[in-house]
């Protein structure tokens, strides 16, 4: 809620990216209301960034299929604070460990910090700190894990390995732009954004500041389609439940009308209103229960077919029980009104002729 990002894009011929990054970070970090500022290459949920395959053994191209994917963020000594991460093991990067990466030399560094999910893949039993991994700068150069953060996601929201990510101690100097992430004091984000944009533009007129956005808005855009689909599905489910409930009410009302004399006879023989209500609710419960069992078997069977034919994910075990409970409760609520009307039938009805 207190974080934003921006891009500084140089357009003059003698634009010094390295000096600009150093000056920009010093300037941003000195502003009132700024908690931390860092330069990186992306942020979580942005759906754009760097990824890599990681393994605990040197990767052999074409033969190693066990490498697991990870999102990769360039970082410095303030990235953990700027991203709002929690270091749960090991240590943070030191300022002197941050390297400069250019196209000619590639990624030059020896240590990395990983997310807890990735740490568990690296070291299923024990600590990942001190372990060596491969696949980041190339397939055979080892990198040592020096720290673990509690949670850090990939930039890509649709990945099934989204919790696996890496921080690498380097700055990207291979382009003419720099990407900054700034965390402000609570409640001061919007004012800090305006000041940062004005100060950076004034400090170096040989570049433009663009892409100034809050992390909240970036995240909202990333999940907008998902939220729209969820809204549609919730609407469809609500309509189906409404139709189902209306159908149960109609069917129960029909049976109450058809059985008026039978109900009166039971009342004349000593049945109480409670017994009449219980009869209709039990009858409804049996019918709905049969539908629930049949629907549950079909749901699990269809999911098993999708898993075998299309490699679909396994249906979470609690989906069907929760859905069954909702439908059963809906059925009982829907039959409550007709059952209450049936309970009010007078015993005198039994003496009437059709």
């Amino acid at each position: 809620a207190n974080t934003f990002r921006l891009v500084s894009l140089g357009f003059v011929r003698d634009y010094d990216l390295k000096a600009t990054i150093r000056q920009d970070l010093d300037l941003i970090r000195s502003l009132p209301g700024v908690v931390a500022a860092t330069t990186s290459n992306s942020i979580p949920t942005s759906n754009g960034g760097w990824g890599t395959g990681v393994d605990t053994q040197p990767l052999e191209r074409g033969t190693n299929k066990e490498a697991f994917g990870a999102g990769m963020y360039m970082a410095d000594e303030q990235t953990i604070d700027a991203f709002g991460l929690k270091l749960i093991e090991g240590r943070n990067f030191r300022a002197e460990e941050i390297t400069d990466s250019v196209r000619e030399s590639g990624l030059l560094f020896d240590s990395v910090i990983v997310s807890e999910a990735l740490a568990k893949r690296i070291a299923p039993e024990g600590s990942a700190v001190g372990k060596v991994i491969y696949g980041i700068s190339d397939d055979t150069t080892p990198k040592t894990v020096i720290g673990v953060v509690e949670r850090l996601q990939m930039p890509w929201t649709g990945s099934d390995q989204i919790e696996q990510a890496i921080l690498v101690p380097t700055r990207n100097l291979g382009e003419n732009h720099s990407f900054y992430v700034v965390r402000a004091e609570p409640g001061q984000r919007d004012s800090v954004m305006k000041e940062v944009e004005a100060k950076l533009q004034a400090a170096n007129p040989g570049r433009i500041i663009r892409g100034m956005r809050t992390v909240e808005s970036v995240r909202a855009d990333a999940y907008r389609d998902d939220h729209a689909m969820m809204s549609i599905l919730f609407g469809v489910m609500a309509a189906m439940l409404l139709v189902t409930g209306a159908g149960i009410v109609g069917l129960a009302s029909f049976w109450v009308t058809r059985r008026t004399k039978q109900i009166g006879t039971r009342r004349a023989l000593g049945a109480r209103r409670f017994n009449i209500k219980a009869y209709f609710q039990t009858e409804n419960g049996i019918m709905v229960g049969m539908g629930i069992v049949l629907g549950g078997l079909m749901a699990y069977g269809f999911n098993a077919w999708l898993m075998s034919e299309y490699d679909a994910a396994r249906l979470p075990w609690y989906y069907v029980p929760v859905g069954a409970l909702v439908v059963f409760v809906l059925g009982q609520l829907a039959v409550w009104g007709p059952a209450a009307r049936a309970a009010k039938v007078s015993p005198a009805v039994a003496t009437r002729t059709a």
Side-chain angles (χ1 to χ4, degrees):
N2 303 304
T3 312
F4 63 94
R5 52 89 155 168
L6 65 143
V7 177
S8 169
L9 178 63
F11 59 83
V12 295
R13 180 173 298 179
D14 57 347
Y15 186 74
D16 189 339
L17 181 61
K18 182 175 181 179
T20 300
I21 291 176
R22 183 175 63 253
Q23 295 167 3
D24 287 348
L25 289 177
D26 289 342
L27 174 60
I28 296 172
R29 291 168 181 175
S30 68
L31 295 176
V34 173
V35 174
T38 187
T39 179
S40 188
N41 58 310
S42 184
I43 57 173
T45 74
S46 63
N47 284 320
W50 292 22
T52 185
V54 176
D55 205 343
T56 55
Q57 301 295 327
L59 305 180
E60 298 180 12
R61 192 176 299 275
T63 61
N64 192 309
K65 299 182 180 179
E66 299 300 322
F68 29 91
M72 186 165 66
Y73 299 99
M74 295 182 176
D76 61 19
E77 70 278 10
Q78 287 201 16
T79 299
I80 287 181
D81 292 332
F83 275 44
L85 308 178
K86 181 180 179 181
L87 186 68
I88 60 174
E89 192 177 1
R91 66 172 178 85
N92 191 10
F93 297 126
R94 301 187 183 97
E96 61 271 16
E97 293 176 320
I98 312 304
T99 64
D100 296 325
S101 295
V102 294
R103 293 177 180 178
E104 293 75 14
S105 61
L107 302 176
L108 302 176
F109 50 84
D110 298 319
S111 57
V112 297
I113 296 174
V114 301
S115 65
E116 185 177 19
L118 184 56
K120 291 179 179 179
R121 296 291 300 274
I122 296 170
E125 298 180 2
S127 173
V129 175
K131 301 291 185 180
V132 172
I133 58 177
Y134 300 83
I136 298 177
S137 56
D138 56 58
D139 293 342
T140 58
T141 302
K143 308 294 181 184
T144 303
V145 177
I146 64 169
V148 177
V149 291
E150 185 175 31
R151 191 178 186 194
L152 175 60
Q153 294 184 331
M154 290 181 174
W156 306 283
T157 56
S159 173
D160 58 358
Q161 299 176 326
I162 191 170
E163 299 292 341
Q164 297 177 183
I166 302 174
L167 296 175
V168 297
T170 191
R171 291 177 291 260
N172 182 18
L173 301 183
E175 307 290 344
N176 66 334
H177 68 270
S178 49
F179 184 95
Y180 300 118
V181 181
V182 183
R183 177 171 292 271
E185 296 283 356
Q188 299 186 40
R189 182 196 63 195
D190 294 346
S191 60
V192 169
M193 287 178 66
K194 295 178 181 178
E195 187 171 9
V196 166
E197 184 174 17
K199 294 287 187 181
L200 291 183
Q201 194 63 69
N204 189 341
R207 48 92 177 275
I208 59 174
I209 303 299
R210 66 180 188 180
M212 179 81 71
R213 295 189 61 188
T214 66
V215 172
E216 281 184 326
S217 66
V218 172
R219 185 181 187 278
D221 283 349
Y223 289 106
R224 179 169 286 111
D225 291 343
D226 297 302
H227 287 159
M229 180 60 69
M230 288 173 62
S231 298
I232 293 172
L233 292 178
F234 274 120
V236 171
M237 288 189 291
M240 292 177 65
L241 290 174
L242 181 62
V243 171
T244 301
I248 293 173
V249 170
L251 183 62
S253 298
F254 171 76
W255 283 117
V256 168
T257 303
R258 291 292 301 271
R259 298 175 184 176
T260 300
K261 192 169 184 179
Q262 174 190 342
I263 296 168
T265 300
R266 291 193 62 192
R267 293 280 283 126
L269 293 174
R272 295 174 296 173
R273 292 186 176 185
F274 169 79
N275 300 122
I276 303 300
K277 287 182 180 180
Y279 172 81
F280 281 97
Q281 290 193 280
T282 301
E283 182 181 65
N284 176 267
I286 292 173
M287 290 190 295
V288 172
M290 292 173 62
I292 287 173
V293 172
L294 179 61
L297 293 175
M298 292 177 64
Y300 284 126
F302 186 59
N303 180 239
W305 179 77
L306 289 174
M307 290 171 59
S308 63
E309 296 295 326
Y310 298 100
D311 198 27
R314 181 184 299 276
L315 183 70
W317 68 267
Y318 55 86
Y319 275 25
V320 171
V322 170
L325 178 62
V326 170
V327 173
F328 185 82
V329 171
L330 175 65
Q332 293 298 297
L333 292 175
V335 82
W336 179 265
R341 289 197 302 272
K344 294 178 181 179
V345 174
S346 171
V349 173
T351 63
R352 301 175 185 173
T353 57

